[in-house]
Amino acid sequence: MRHNGAGNTRVFRTATALAAAVLLVSGCKGLDEGDSSAGSGPAAPDSSAGSGPAAPDGRAVSPLKNPDGTKPGLAPVTTDADKAAARKLIEELATKGRGPKTGYGRDEFGYAWMDTADGVPLARNGCDTRNDLLRRDGRNLRYRAGSDCVVVAMTLHDPYTGTTIDWRKQKATEVQIDHMVPLSYSWQMGSSRWPESKREQLANDVLNLVPVEGRANSAKGDSGPASWLPPNKRIRCAYAVRFAQVAIKYEMPVTAPDKQMMLRQCAG
């Protein structure tokens, strides 16, 4: 039997390249996660924060290609053409000053994670909004025994920090569902005068919701983009686009400083 030395060399080189590729795409594992309609104080954008990696699983979708929010994640907006489209969208936003927070309460937006908020994707599908979001963005999902709804474990790539989190329900608050446009913010920008059904839509609309690391979500509180941006710089234009998409859908103004900060994130 003859041995082909050149062929063996090619096989070795191929195996080495594959092993290097596996090491290259292995992500870091984060420890914590969070939720955002309750508000701690606003945190100013951190210009020293790291840029963070893109989603390692390649599933995250740009908000420009996901206008209803039904696709997973929040992929960076990177090309000049997409940034121009992002600025055009943000320019549509009306502006006004924040009103008072008087009368605000989470229950003004219906009970948390209701499945009966009509007029939004995934409503009345037999699964509450929180679990809909975990199923949308999570990988390696595990469900409670006898359920195809209640997620008890998963892997999540958090766009806000650029980390990958192995989550278990025993530590539920490590992953929280962020309202991109916080409910308290919306109250101060006019939702206090909306019918309750419209507030319920905003609170349960998948366009306005993303599972993220809990500590990042708590740091955000009810801040607008002028006061808080995701630590992962790569995602900041995408975050601004999604904030604008929600505000435009619900005909809600933003503050002038928030609009200017959003435009700055998507500068060419």
Side-chain angles (χ1 to χ4, degrees):
M1 178 176 175
R2 295 179 61 192
H3 293 280
N4 187 333
N8 289 341
T9 301
R10 282 194 297 271
V11 169
F12 175 78
R13 287 174 178 169
T14 300
T16 302
L18 286 172
V22 168
L23 287 174
L24 205 61
V25 299
S26 296
C28 296
K29 304 275 184 173
L31 296 177
D32 287 327
E33 309 133 86
D35 178 337
S36 154
S37 359
S40 60
D46 181 2
S47 60
S48 66
S51 59
D57 58 14
R59 292 176 68 244
V61 178
S62 164
L64 294 169
K65 297 178 175 62
N66 186 20
D68 64 358
T70 56
K71 297 181 178 67
L74 197 65
V77 174
T78 56
T79 69
D80 289 343
D82 283 351
K83 286 184 178 181
R87 293 193 300 273
K88 184 177 179 181
L89 180 76
I90 294 166
E91 287 285 10
E92 296 178 25
L93 291 167
T95 61
K96 68 182 279 293
R98 280 207 196 202
K101 199 172 177 177
T102 307
Y104 169 75
R106 177 60 179 84
D107 58 357
E108 297 291 339
F109 293 78
Y111 63 86
W113 313 131
M114 62 196 304
D115 185 39
T116 55
D118 291 326
V120 295
L122 309 185
R124 298 185 183 276
N125 66 352
C127 191
D128 65 86
T129 305
R130 176 181 169 84
N131 281 294
D132 281 338
L133 270 293
L134 299 182
R135 293 194 300 176
R136 185 194 69 182
D137 288 15
R139 295 294 301 272
N140 306 317
L141 300 173
R142 287 174 50 201
Y143 296 93
R144 188 172 67 192
S147 172
D148 60 0
C149 168
V150 180
V151 178
V152 296
M154 66 173 183
T155 301
L156 177 74
H157 179 76
D158 168 31
Y160 285 7
T161 62
T163 59
T164 298
I165 302 163
D166 286 326
W167 176 81
R168 300 293 179 269
K169 195 172 179 65
Q170 294 92 322
K171 296 185 177 180
T173 59
E174 290 185 354
V175 165
Q176 299 175 9
I177 309 299
D178 180 36
H179 287 95
M180 305 280 288
V181 175
L183 302 185
S184 173
Y185 181 99
S186 81
W187 185 267
Q188 295 170 76
M189 302 307 292
S191 72
S192 58
R193 297 185 296 276
W194 295 355
E196 186 174 354
S197 60
K198 185 176 179 180
R199 291 198 294 268
E200 290 174 350
Q201 289 176 13
L202 177 68
N204 293 278
D205 191 340
V206 294
L207 182 66
N208 192 32
L209 296 166
V210 61
V212 298
E213 186 205 66
R215 290 176 296 186
N217 185 55
S218 296
K220 173 182 172 179
D222 65 355
S223 301
S227 300
W228 186 90
L229 290 168
N232 181 4
K233 290 182 180 179
R234 285 177 53 84
I235 216 70
R236 288 179 177 178
C237 179
Y239 178 83
V241 169
R242 178 53 54 79
F243 201 101
Q245 287 174 324
V246 174
I248 289 168
K249 177 176 179 177
Y250 286 88
E251 300 178 317
M252 187 185 71
V254 300
T255 70
D258 286 335
K259 182 175 179 177
Q260 289 305 310
M261 181 62 76
M262 292 160 75
L263 288 169
R264 195 180 310 164
Q265 303 316 305
C266 298

